Amino acid sequence: MTSERARPVPRKYVLFDVDGTLIDAVANQRQVWGTWAVRYGLDPDEVYRVALRTRPMETFTAVAPDQDPLECLAALHALENEDVRSGVYAAFDGASELLSALPSGCWGLVTSNYEHRVRGRFARTGLPVPDVLVDAAAVEEGKPSPVPYLLAAERLGAGPEHCLVIEDAPSGVKSGLHAGMTVWGVNAPVAVEGVHRHFGSLREAVPEILAFTTGARDSAV
């Protein structure tokens, strides 16, 4: 009598956006862009509206086409670096518990911010930093392109079909979907178009995310 050898279950991976997903930095982003806008004589609300859906260099082209984009970027970076040092922000409820419980090597960060700022904020909020961190400097095409999430999956040695993306913003959701991954939305009162599941807060999603990584939930849709 013979028995068929059980086939191994593919490992599951989780890729997190940072700002708005793990770190509550919305007020900080608005303040930074507002200060930047005032410096250039622009309307803070309009600049922030554009910045929410574009990368910085694209934002400068849209709102300050007569300015040197490299100078604009340097000014923005200085403001953002100062915010990391002195700004008031916190990790979302459940973030520390979730990241500390995830198995090493099965999760990473995919952010439109820069690595040194992410590390600074994580140090101040006590969050662990994974081995895989794809930031704005790592890719030429940012969200909503699939490139950032595909690069993170490659660095983890994961197939897109085995990855779960946790996002809060439309551009990030599109990025994960274009990469062929399962996407769950958090920290928003209304589901972002396209997400496979929606949670009003990160805290609500914690047990489901942990279940996904252990294979307890084979179907994440």
Side-chain angles (χ1 to χ4, degrees):
M1 181 176 180
T2 60
S3 61
E4 183 179 352
R5 180 179 298 177
R7 286 183 292 180
V9 177
R11 191 173 188 184
K12 303 292 187 177
Y13 301 82
V14 187
L15 299 173
F16 295 94
D17 172 52
V18 176
D19 294 331
T21 298
L22 297 173
I23 297 287
D24 187 357
V26 173
N28 303 69
Q29 291 173 326
R30 180 180 286 276
Q31 181 175 340
V32 164
W33 275 109
T35 301
W36 181 90
V38 170
R39 181 174 298 182
Y40 286 92
L42 302 170
D43 176 54
D45 291 336
E46 174 61 18
V47 169
Y48 185 65
R49 184 185 67 78
V50 175
L52 281 176
R53 54 184 173 79
T54 59
R55 301 182 83 189
M57 295 300 279
E58 296 166 345
T59 303
F60 305 145
T61 299
V63 303
D66 57 333
Q67 300 291 335
D68 180 351
L70 294 180
E71 179 184 305
C72 291
L73 186 62
L76 181 68
H77 281 179
L79 292 169
E80 290 185 321
N81 289 339
E82 178 56 34
D83 176 71
V84 171
R85 291 189 292 269
S86 61
V88 178
Y89 51 85
F92 279 105
D93 181 32
S96 180
E97 171 191 328
L98 172 60
L99 299 187
S100 297
L102 287 171
S104 176
C106 84
W107 66 284
L109 304 176
V110 180
T111 177
S112 297
N113 211 322
Y114 288 84
E115 182 172 350
H116 70 281
R117 292 190 199 118
V118 172
R119 290 186 177 278
R121 286 176 172 171
F122 272 42
R124 289 187 58 193
T125 55
L127 296 181
V129 179
D131 293 333
V132 171
L133 196 169
V134 173
D135 71 345
V139 293
E140 293 185 3
E141 296 180 33
K143 303 173 186 178
S145 164
V147 170
Y149 278 111
L150 289 174
L151 177 59
E154 179 183 332
R155 289 181 176 179
L156 283 170
E161 69 277 11
H162 297 145
C163 293
L164 170 63
V165 168
I166 306 299
E167 271 281 358
D168 74 299
S171 62
V173 168
K174 290 179 181 178
S175 179
L177 292 174
H178 291 161
M181 300 175 181
T182 298
V183 182
W184 292 355
V186 299
N187 298 334
V190 179
V192 175
E193 182 179 358
V195 295
H196 296 103
R197 294 190 68 186
H198 167 71
F199 301 86
S201 68
L202 179 66
R203 164 58 67 187
E204 294 175 25
V206 168
E208 295 296 313
I209 295 170
L210 292 176
F212 177 90
T213 62
T214 61
R217 173 176 289 278
D218 292 328
S219 176
V221 178

